[in-house]
Amino acid sequence: MYRFLASTRWLGWLLLVCVFAAACVGLGKWQMNRLDEARAANDLVKANYDAAPLDFRQALPYFDTLPADRAWTPVTMKGSYLPGDTRIVRNRTTNGQPGYEVLVPFETDEGTRVVIDRGWLPIGDDSAGRPDSVPAPPEGQVQITARMKVGEPAVRRSAPEGQVASIELPALEEDLGYPIATGAYGVIAREQPAPATTPTALERPSIDEGNHLSYSLQWFAFGVLSFIGLGYAARQQARLNREDAQEAAEAAAAGTEVIHSAYRAPRQRPTRRKGNVPTDEELEDAYLDRFEDQARR
């Protein structure tokens, strides 16, 4: 009764299900790869964020090219801020609130200029498009600890004078007009001496793995369910073919001809209600049978 599976129609259905299942497997693996990336990023935060700070001389090569396994590593630097070259980064959020981040170049005693992200400021109330005030960094000789972070990609958005759309270090170097470290910048952790007012410290990176695992399992389940659905459809078709063959045999024995299509919907059969209560059709048949019995008497 399953010989129909070799037909062109059913082979086409099988091919379609295989393609769908392969796509589900690919999407499931993609989600698993994203889960691995999220776990690797979380491991970096756990290993580096609270590690002992490096001396700037040790970390100097990292400001040319920051290895992936060195992200968020703290570095201690001595030197002075260049507050006249402060830049404001637009479209930044902290705790779900929109605002800005404050970038100030820091010239180390070794002569290297490093961009330091001093924190977040809310949107101003006095003037649109800029913070009301920007806290000044400490003056003179300062010792700071900052966590290294790779620069951001370019964003095709314009920004008012004194502001930038992203922390794209090569573009920022061109805007400042003097050399800066373009392999990494620093997110401030501590300043000595500490200023009276500072921007709000940036949030610690999230170590949430996200929903990648559940999404992956869902895609794999969809691929398996597609074959289960095809098997169920084949079983239903085999049952219908079996019923058609039985009807044809009964008709041949009675000397009549039965005409049926290659595929038809299952015949509707009356179903019992809950509690084995007769259906309306069964009650109607019972009334008719009783009426005929009384008429014969």
Side-chain angles (χ1 to χ4, degrees):
M1 287 298 174
Y2 286 91
R3 286 177 295 179
F4 64 87
L5 292 176
S7 65
T8 303
R9 175 189 175 194
W10 281 93
L11 289 176
W13 279 114
L14 177 60
L15 178 60
L16 181 62
V17 168
C18 289
V19 171
F20 176 77
C24 289
V25 170
L27 290 170
K29 289 183 176 180
W30 173 64
Q31 287 291 345
M32 291 300 293
N33 290 336
R34 294 196 63 187
L35 176 62
D36 292 339
E37 293 173 359
R39 287 175 174 172
N42 293 344
D43 291 341
L44 281 178
V45 174
K46 295 175 183 177
N48 297 341
Y49 196 85
D50 296 320
L54 299 177
D55 182 80
F56 181 73
R57 293 183 181 84
Q58 296 174 284
L60 183 57
Y62 302 147
F63 284 96
D64 291 329
T65 302
L66 181 64
D69 61 351
R70 283 295 184 175
W72 300 110
T73 300
V75 178
T76 298
M77 295 174 267
K78 293 181 179 180
S80 58
Y81 281 108
L82 304 176
D85 293 327
T86 298
R87 297 292 185 270
I88 303 299
V89 190
R90 300 173 59 82
N91 300 317
R92 300 291 159 141
T93 58
T94 291
N95 295 322
Q97 297 182 342
Y100 312 91
E101 290 179 17
V102 182
L103 304 180
V104 185
F106 185 85
E107 185 169 4
T108 67
D109 289 345
E110 291 77 13
T112 303
R113 297 183 179 96
V114 178
V115 174
I116 301 298
D117 189 333
R118 297 192 66 236
W120 177 86
L121 294 174
I123 294 176
D125 295 326
D126 297 337
S127 58
R130 63 184 63 251
D132 288 337
S133 62
V134 179
E139 297 180 357
Q141 186 74 6
V142 182
Q143 177 175 302
I144 68 172
T145 299
R147 295 181 175 92
M148 292 184 292
K149 190 177 178 182
V150 71
E152 299 174 354
V155 175
R156 294 183 178 180
R157 289 197 304 266
S158 60
E161 185 178 356
Q163 300 186 17
V164 293
S166 70
I167 309 177
E168 184 195 0
L169 296 175
L172 189 57
E173 180 181 51
E174 182 178 353
D175 180 42
L176 293 172
Y178 52 74
I180 62 172
T182 57
Y185 68 99
V187 177
I188 196 66
R190 288 183 296 276
E191 294 174 324
Q192 294 177 348
T197 59
T198 62
T200 301
L202 299 184
E203 296 175 293
R204 184 187 183 98
S206 173
I207 56 174
D208 184 13
E209 293 182 354
N211 298 322
H212 302 302
L213 180 59
S214 61
Y215 290 158
S216 176
L217 295 177
Q218 288 176 16
W219 281 118
F220 291 143
F222 290 155
V224 173
L225 287 175
S226 64
F227 286 101
I228 293 176
L230 181 64
Y232 177 78
R235 182 178 178 182
Q236 291 295 98
Q237 184 65 60
R239 184 176 63 81
L240 293 175
N241 291 348
R242 199 162 46 243
E243 291 177 357
D244 286 343
Q246 184 178 356
E247 290 181 2
E250 292 173 355
T256 59
E257 183 180 1
V258 176
I259 301 176
H260 58 80
S261 63
Y263 175 82
R264 61 182 178 82
R267 292 176 297 179
Q268 300 294 328
R269 296 180 174 87
T271 58
R272 288 275 183 169
R273 300 175 181 171
K274 293 182 178 179
N276 205 28
V277 178
T279 63
D280 293 339
E281 294 180 3
E282 291 173 333
L283 291 174
E284 184 179 351
D285 292 341
Y287 291 148
L288 292 175
D289 291 342
R290 184 179 302 174
F291 178 78
E292 290 176 356
D293 291 340
Q294 290 177 355
R296 292 194 191 97
R297 294 175 187 172

